[in-house]
Amino acid sequence: MSTALADSGELGLTDQEKQWLSKHTVLRVHNERNWPPFNFNENGKATGMSIDYMNLIATKLNVGVQYVTDDDWEHFFEWIRSGSLDVMLNIVNTPARREFMTFTEPYLISPAGIFVTRDNRSIHSLDDLNGKVVAVTRGFFMEEMLKKNYPGIRLLVEGSTLQNLESVAFGRADATIGIPGVMNYLIDTHFLTNLKLAGQANDKRLSSVMSIGVRKDQTMLRGILQKAMNQVTPQEMKLLYARWNLNAQHQSLPAEMTDEDKQFITNLPSVRVCYQEAAMPYIGKATGGGYQGIVADLMRQLEKQLQVNFQWIELGDSMGSEQALKTSFCDLLPMVTVNSERNSFMRYTSPYLQVPIVLASLHDDLFLGDTSQLKGQTIGYVPGWLGLESLPRRYPDVHFEEVASLDEGVQLMRQGKLDGLADTVPAIAYGMQQYGWSDIKISGRFDEPLLMSMGVSQQKQQLQAVLQKGLLALGDEVPQQIYRQWVSVKYVQPFDFTWVWRSAVGILVILGFLGYRNKQLRRFNRQLERMAVTDALTDLFNRKKLDEILAEEQKRWSEPGNTCGVLLLDLDHFKQVNDHYGHQVGDEVLQRVGQAVSAVVGHGQTLGRWGGEEFMVICPSHSLGMASRLADIIRREVAQLPPGVSGVQTTSIGVAVSQPGETVVELVKRADQALYRAKQEGRNRVAVASISVESMHSDMPANIPVERRGSDVPTK
């Protein structure tokens, strides 16, 4: 863009506006750390659709941009107020923000979607969220809108959109609401594949109507930005949308069929769809006839959308796919990547699927944290329609070798002739399942993903236009749903685990498939391990973890001189709380009690939720007196909690200490019997399981009864 553009009159700037620009040659613009694909930071560089849009505006105005990166919107608001930040991108115009900001007209509109875990069958709409916990980002407009318009929704305020999704994935929240494009991008790149889009938030107030915002007293800057935005052409916007694969959901291209399009489809007997050979899980022949795979499923959806007939043709070795297209033997290649060498004879649709290219190896120590680590390594790849032949050009320091198939590449790795194998996540995942590659690990991900498009002959412009409109009408979510079904469902179902392990291992499998960054893998592994042993409501250890600890303790107390105390707590009259005040209040009571007991339990002792309204404390090396004193402290702490909606909450506690030769089942049974007696004799008290006089320790306090005495702790 010419440096004289801002002065040429093309933007219609006034003399005052031109003078303002001459004094403000660099605009300070907000950049978020993790809100892809609109506004995020990658390797220290601001990137995303909104960033590209701002750079386009800056070019038209002939000004520079200094991006200010942070992950807290409250900080950005503070900087706008103080004048240390000039511009906020992709911001929604709300009443609260209008008190200190002014906004341009919107440049992007996106509806909101509701995201839940895959096993959640009860949430489909905003009405279903009443009484549920919904994760929102601190400072985002969604927090303001839900507080004002949906008081029945319980908000869990997090620091970022990624944290919102993690809260749902790991059971801290029931749902989160956001832009499907953003959410799906984060789900795919951060391995949260136990999440799904449950439905649309059908309230236009929750749609993200994105504008550019500036400080309220900067009306001059607002006007300048708006004039530059008015000069952004539809073609420029199309290029931005296509680059970030936002066509369908973000109103980039018209998806309506013209009369000419409809007539073209009517006169089209069938579309010959060619593929070179079976390449599962993308395309292959199904057992009962027909075709299956990611691409085959998508083509069936497109066939219904366009009301056309796709005729599948497997080319085999007789003719290459490019030759088939050039000679009009084929009308359509359903899975190609954009390649400038094909531009002379092929037209492309915009990408309909983004697939990670990963590195598979036999060893954990070969990890792709940075592509520079592959310097000098020998990596195999299968050339062909996937476009993997571009890897040698993009990574000249790596020695790439062609292999005939993934299976051949795995054999060469086992023979020590290859250090790794590059291919896409679905292809390697399918090989792991189909051929039992138990020794194969996903060691990392290459920088650029594979963008899958459809290709038609250069002469068949109208067919390309119709296909493009059909893909736009399907939207982004249909290809993503199909992809996730093949990647996350078909490779998890063969495992037969309990519901907890199916959830945890399912995510671990996908973690293994996607292999993003070493730090992220370790962090997610820790989170997944914690999820498998943590009660989602109270964030305490669950029954499974308590069972594991008790089993370990039994080995220890079987040796002479070792003991282990068990405290079994049950909330008094808890059923009445749920019946009279609802399960939401009941959940809050459980959380408050869990926090209170957690504050009392010391180092070396373990607190967990035993089930329902029961908690357990495991006390290694405790005598009966020590365990009983701890129980009474816990009882008092719970009784002294400030009254909630349901009033004062108390607890009854049964105490038992291991005896020589006793099993875990016997120990817990004695604690449970003591708890039952505490309930029978008035609640809000501690009862101790019966033991022999010989095994009682001398530090047993007189005011804590044993079962043979029949007395109890006075009710508070």
Side-chain angles (χ1 to χ4, degrees):
M1 188 68 64
S2 168
T3 56
L5 178 59
D7 298 321
S8 67
E10 290 183 29
L11 299 182
L13 298 179
T14 66
D15 290 339
Q16 285 181 312
E17 289 170 336
K18 294 175 184 177
Q19 186 177 6
W20 190 96
L21 279 179
S22 67
K23 295 179 180 179
H24 302 82
T25 56
V26 176
L27 298 178
R28 293 158 298 184
V29 179
H30 108 282
N31 170 227
E32 299 168 49
R33 293 196 192 280
N34 204 11
W35 204 59
F38 297 104
N39 191 339
F40 59 112
N41 193 284
E42 193 169 60
N43 299 322
K45 181 181 178 182
T47 188
M49 186 274 176
S50 291
I51 299 297
D52 285 352
Y53 185 73
M54 183 65 216
N55 291 338
L56 179 62
I57 297 298
T59 302
K60 293 182 181 294
L61 293 173
N62 188 33
V63 295
V65 179
Q66 176 188 347
Y67 287 104
V68 181
T69 306
D70 201 271
D71 52 10
D72 191 329
W73 270 56
E74 295 297 338
H75 292 167
F76 292 128
F77 290 158
E78 292 171 8
W79 296 333
I80 281 284
R81 289 186 178 99
S82 67
S84 56
L85 186 69
D86 300 313
V87 173
M88 286 193 71
L89 303 173
N90 45 258
I91 187 169
V92 177
N93 183 344
T94 69
R97 293 170 180 175
R98 285 196 290 272
E99 294 179 3
F100 61 95
M101 296 182 73
T102 184
F103 301 87
T104 66
E105 295 175 9
Y107 65 91
L108 192 68
I109 301 175
S110 176
I114 303 170
F115 286 79
V116 301
T117 55
R118 288 189 175 277
D119 58 1
N120 190 316
R121 301 288 186 270
S122 62
I123 295 177
H124 305 283
S125 66
L126 287 169
D127 292 338
D128 298 329
L129 294 177
N130 195 40
K132 299 292 193 298
V133 177
V134 175
V136 295
T137 305
R138 181 182 299 103
F140 270 32
F141 86 102
M142 193 67 69
E143 179 187 10
E144 178 183 341
M145 289 296 163
L146 290 178
K147 277 183 179 178
K148 180 179 179 181
N149 301 299
Y150 294 89
I153 294 177
R154 300 159 57 195
L155 299 184
L156 173 63
V157 181
E158 297 282 17
S160 68
T161 303
L162 175 58
Q163 289 176 10
N164 294 343
L165 289 167
E166 289 175 339
S167 291
V168 179
F170 298 112
R172 294 189 294 271
D174 298 301
T176 186
I177 302 175
I179 297 176
V182 175
M183 304 304 232
N184 287 329
Y185 190 102
L186 290 172
I187 286 170
D188 289 339
T189 56
H190 291 269
F191 332 124
L192 300 173
T193 49
N194 68 327
L195 301 183
K196 68 176 181 180
L197 175 64
Q200 183 175 340
N202 289 314
D203 184 337
K204 291 184 178 180
R205 294 172 296 183
L206 300 182
S207 295
S208 293
V209 183
M210 302 183 205
S211 301
I212 293 178
V214 301
R215 198 169 73 245
K216 192 171 184 177
D217 59 358
Q218 291 285 3
T219 54
M220 182 80 69
L221 174 57
R222 186 264 176 208
I224 291 170
L225 291 171
Q226 186 61 63
K227 289 180 179 180
M229 292 168 66
N230 293 342
Q231 295 301 313
V232 176
T233 67
Q235 185 58 36
E236 286 172 327
M237 289 303 295
K238 289 177 185 179
L239 292 174
L240 287 180
Y241 288 129
R243 177 179 179 185
W244 293 101
N245 200 23
L246 299 171
N247 293 323
Q249 289 184 333
H250 304 284
Q251 304 180 3
S252 61
L253 296 173
E256 296 81 10
M257 294 290 175
T258 64
D259 292 339
E260 185 180 2
D261 293 331
K262 294 174 183 177
Q263 187 62 44
F264 173 79
I265 292 173
T266 301
N267 297 333
L268 192 65
S270 64
V271 177
R272 293 163 296 175
V273 181
C274 293
Y275 69 101
Q276 192 66 44
E277 57 184 348
M280 287 295 289
Y282 296 103
I283 180 66
K285 290 183 178 179
T287 304
Y291 292 85
Q292 64 177 344
I294 296 171
V295 175
D297 287 352
L298 177 65
M299 294 299 287
R300 271 190 284 274
Q301 294 292 329
L302 190 59
E303 196 171 30
K304 294 177 184 177
Q305 180 67 38
L306 295 175
Q307 295 296 301
V308 299
N309 176 44
F310 289 138
Q311 177 187 351
W312 288 88
I313 301 173
E314 183 176 2
L315 297 174
D317 298 328
S318 59
M319 182 185 299
S321 57
E322 293 183 1
Q323 183 185 359
L325 199 67
K326 288 178 182 178
T327 59
S328 296
F329 182 78
C330 293
D331 300 314
L332 169 64
L333 301 180
M335 40 190 185
V336 297
T337 54
V338 176
N339 186 329
S340 58
E341 296 175 0
R342 303 176 185 142
N343 289 349
S344 61
F345 64 90
M346 187 182 297
R347 300 178 67 90
Y348 303 94
T349 66
S350 59
Y352 61 81
L353 194 63
Q354 177 175 293
V355 185
I357 301 175
V358 295
L359 177 71
S361 71
L362 296 175
H363 307 289
D364 289 328
D365 54 357
L366 179 57
F367 182 84
L368 184 58
D370 190 307
T371 52
S372 63
Q373 295 176 242
L374 292 180
K375 186 176 182 180
Q377 300 280 352
T378 302
I379 307 299
Y381 74 99
V382 181
W385 65 269
L386 276 174
L388 295 176
E389 62 270 11
S390 65
L391 289 173
R393 295 195 299 270
R394 284 159 46 193
Y395 304 97
D397 293 335
V398 182
H399 179 58
F400 285 95
E401 284 192 7
E402 294 185 9
V403 295
S405 65
L406 282 178
D407 191 47
E408 178 184 302
V410 170
Q411 299 306 321
L412 291 173
M413 280 198 294
R414 289 170 177 161
Q415 297 169 17
K417 297 179 180 179
L418 291 178
D419 297 305
L421 192 61
D423 213 294
T424 61
V425 166
I428 292 178
Y430 184 81
M432 287 177 171
Q433 180 207 34
Q434 190 75 7
Y435 304 112
W437 296 338
S438 58
D439 54 343
I440 298 300
K441 308 291 182 184
I442 297 299
S443 304
R445 195 175 85 170
F446 287 88
D447 298 332
E448 297 180 26
L450 181 148
L451 299 177
M452 196 178 296
S453 302
M454 295 181 184
V456 300
S457 170
Q458 187 68 253
Q459 283 72 43
K460 298 187 176 181
Q461 181 175 351
Q462 193 158 8
L463 176 59
Q464 185 267 349
V466 168
L467 291 170
Q468 178 69 58
K469 291 178 180 179
L471 289 171
L472 293 179
L474 287 180
D476 289 349
E477 181 59 21
V478 171
Q480 290 293 334
Q481 281 181 339
I482 293 171
Y483 174 82
R484 286 195 292 268
Q485 285 169 1
W486 277 93
V487 173
S488 63
V489 175
K490 292 186 182 294
Y491 305 129
V492 175
Q493 283 180 341
F495 296 96
D496 183 18
F497 295 107
T498 61
W499 72 271
V500 172
W501 283 109
R502 184 157 50 247
S503 173
V505 175
I507 300 174
L508 282 170
V509 170
I510 301 306
L511 283 176
F513 290 164
L514 298 180
Y516 182 50
R517 291 288 187 266
N518 197 14
K519 181 179 179 181
Q520 288 181 318
L521 283 172
R522 289 174 180 168
R523 178 166 64 90
F524 271 89
N525 275 315
R526 288 195 299 269
Q527 288 176 326
L528 288 166
E529 289 168 3
R530 177 169 175 76
M531 183 187 73
V533 297
T534 302
D535 173 62
L537 177 64
T538 61
D539 205 31
L540 302 175
F541 283 135
N542 61 15
R543 174 70 174 267
K544 175 184 175 297
K545 181 64 174 178
L546 293 174
D547 284 338
E548 290 176 357
I549 294 173
L550 285 171
E552 287 299 315
E553 284 301 313
Q554 182 183 348
K555 297 176 184 177
R556 201 182 58 78
W557 82 58
S558 63
E559 300 174 359
N562 292 331
T563 61
C564 179
V566 168
L567 280 56
L568 202 55
L569 296 68
D570 187 272
L571 303 193
D572 296 331
H573 304 295
F574 187 73
K575 185 177 185 301
Q576 296 178 17
V577 174
N578 279 332
D579 291 346
H580 294 170
Y581 301 97
H583 288 280
Q584 179 179 343
V585 173
D587 289 349
E588 292 172 355
V589 171
L590 287 169
Q591 290 169 336
R592 292 175 66 225
V593 170
Q595 292 167 2
V597 179
S598 182
V600 174
V601 170
H603 179 71
Q605 300 162 346
T606 301
L607 168 64
R609 187 178 176 191
W610 188 244
E613 64 268 29
E614 289 188 336
F615 297 83
M616 177 181 282
V617 181
I618 302 172
C619 311
S621 303
H622 276 45
S623 67
L624 190 58
M626 294 166 61
S628 300
R629 277 196 293 270
L630 175 62
D632 199 45
I633 292 170
I634 291 172
R635 181 193 63 78
R636 291 198 303 269
E637 286 295 320
V638 173
Q640 291 170 1
L641 282 172
V645 175
S646 58
V648 174
Q649 181 63 57
T650 61
T651 184
S652 301
I653 307 175
V655 180
V657 172
S658 62
Q659 299 185 74
E662 190 171 34
T663 66
V664 168
V665 173
E666 292 167 340
L667 174 62
V668 174
K669 182 177 181 181
R670 289 196 299 115
D672 190 53
Q673 289 171 343
L675 171 61
Y676 181 71
R677 186 165 55 84
K679 290 283 190 182
Q680 281 186 318
E681 298 181 359
R683 296 181 171 84
N684 188 27
R685 59 190 61 211
V686 175
V688 179
S690 61
I691 61 173
S692 64
V693 175
E694 290 77 12
S695 63
M696 284 183 59
H697 288 256
S698 60
D699 63 348
M700 172 74 179
N703 66 327
I704 301 295
V706 294
E707 194 170 66
R708 63 181 177 84
R709 292 182 182 176
S711 58
D712 223 321
V713 179
T715 302
K716 185 176 178 65

